[in-house]
Amino acid sequence: MWKKDFQPFGGADIYFSKRSRIKLKKLAEGEELNIISTVCPDYPHNGRQYTFSGQLGNRISLTAREHLRTVPDLVKILFFRGVPTNWLILLADLPEVTPAQAEFVQRLSGSPLSYLLRCAKSAAAIQREIGGSARVETFSTWYGSRQIDYLSLQTAAAKNILAAQDACFREFFARFCESRRPLAEKFRGRRLNKEELRQAGAHAISLYATHGTLLRKIFAGRKLLVINHNTINLRNFFLSGYVPLNNFNANLPKFIIGILSRSLY
């Protein structure tokens, strides 16, 4: 995803492809842009990078701090161009409470309920920090208010990914799993065998594919920019074919992606 033509838009420390920068420049005056910051829970860290060693916190995570540092500058740039924005910060609490991640959740917080409660407190801390400049919600509250069973969709997507028979995808999936091995093993705090690595890879892809597919459906017909930390998973936002979502039009326009430059892993 990270290519040579990725550059900041204006003075904000957020990187966009050439095509995305053109789209931002073409936004009409008065045309609202929805901005979504997807942020991680408050995973254990050393102040610079996530270590996943220790307990899940309930404060502002490293990724959230990067969004709070950079997105307000982008909002100001767009404001002076006459483009109003609606900034939503979504804390990804649900993705890790799948059955496949039980070991991870148990190690960091003891139980799924404790994990979700700590994430809710973290979201509240972000809201206090940002005030009225943005709305902050967890996946639980935001998708739940729309009667969307996010967790079931992501779990089903992971199963579909593991069962995929397409030769090109299987080759891509094998490369993805291996390239993501260091992070997957850091998450779990141990070495993973081949099947565990496949499970971890399917879980990782299912998170982005499910979230991206749902965002395209919910914001259909509206301008949308999703800001995310730099990860090889970004390309999987648009892998909608493995998400069992009824009445989804795969031809819906893709949203703009803005990438935070700092490496947090």
Side-chain angles (χ1 to χ4, degrees):
M1 190 74 189
W2 191 261
K3 299 177 182 177
K4 291 182 179 179
D5 73 345
F6 276 68
Q7 295 178 13
F9 179 78
D13 190 21
I14 304 172
Y15 288 73
F16 299 89
S17 68
K18 182 178 181 180
R19 179 177 297 180
S20 292
R21 295 196 306 276
I22 291 173
K23 287 182 179 179
L24 288 173
K25 288 178 182 178
K26 287 184 175 180
L27 287 171
E29 186 172 344
E31 184 177 18
E32 184 179 69
L33 176 65
N34 294 282
I35 300 177
I36 291 184
S37 289
T38 304
V39 303
C40 297
D42 188 17
Y43 296 137
H45 59 85
N46 59 15
R48 300 180 306 279
Q49 291 185 315
Y50 288 115
T51 62
F52 303 103
S53 177
Q55 289 290 296
L56 182 73
N58 57 18
R59 299 181 181 179
I60 300 175
S61 67
L62 283 181
T63 50
R65 280 289 178 202
E66 282 300 289
H67 286 263
L68 297 183
R69 180 182 69 85
T70 58
V71 178
D73 288 339
L74 178 63
V75 169
K76 289 178 184 176
I77 291 166
L78 291 167
F79 173 80
F80 286 114
R81 297 177 70 93
V83 178
T85 56
N86 178 31
W87 183 18
L88 171 65
I89 300 174
L90 289 179
L91 192 149
D93 62 337
L94 288 177
E96 305 306 330
V97 294
T98 64
Q101 292 292 94
E103 177 187 343
F104 173 75
V105 169
Q106 176 70 28
R107 182 165 62 85
L108 261 64
S109 63
S111 71
L113 178 58
S114 174
Y115 187 94
L116 294 174
L117 287 174
R118 295 183 196 191
C119 287
K121 289 181 179 179
S122 183
I126 299 170
Q127 187 69 77
R128 287 193 298 272
E129 178 89 5
I130 197 64
S133 299
R135 188 168 89 260
V136 185
E137 294 199 47
T138 61
F139 275 32
S140 294
T141 59
W142 195 73
Y143 281 121
S145 68
R146 289 161 176 75
Q147 288 75 54
I148 295 173
D149 189 351
Y150 173 89
L151 203 52
S152 292
L153 286 172
Q154 183 184 312
T155 300
K159 290 180 180 178
N160 291 339
I161 290 164
L162 288 169
Q165 296 300 309
D166 180 80
C168 290
F169 178 78
R170 288 169 67 91
E171 182 179 342
F172 155 76
F173 182 56
R175 292 197 308 270
F176 176 85
C177 290
E178 195 55 47
S179 64
R180 204 172 175 279
R181 177 188 285 276
L183 179 57
E185 293 183 340
K186 185 182 284 188
F187 252 82
R188 288 154 187 79
R190 61 181 178 82
R191 181 77 175 175
L192 301 182
N193 61 37
K194 185 175 181 180
E195 181 54 31
E196 288 173 328
L197 192 62
R198 290 185 74 250
Q199 293 283 342
H203 169 77
I205 292 177
S206 69
L207 189 174
Y208 277 74
T210 303
H211 187 41
T213 300
L214 287 169
L215 291 179
R216 287 168 71 191
K217 184 176 176 64
I218 292 168
F219 286 91
R222 291 181 282 170
K223 300 296 182 181
L224 177 62
L225 161 62
V226 174
I227 300 177
N228 206 91
H229 60 278
N230 186 24
T231 167
I232 60 172
N233 223 342
L234 284 172
R235 70 190 71 181
N236 299 320
F237 265 137
F238 305 118
L239 205 62
S240 60
Y242 296 94
V243 184
L245 185 63
N246 293 331
N247 303 317
F248 177 74
N249 180 3
N251 294 317
L252 282 172
K254 296 179 179 179
F255 47 76
I256 300 171
I257 296 177
I259 305 175
L260 304 179
S261 61
R262 182 181 170 192
S263 175
L264 298 173
Y265 297 118

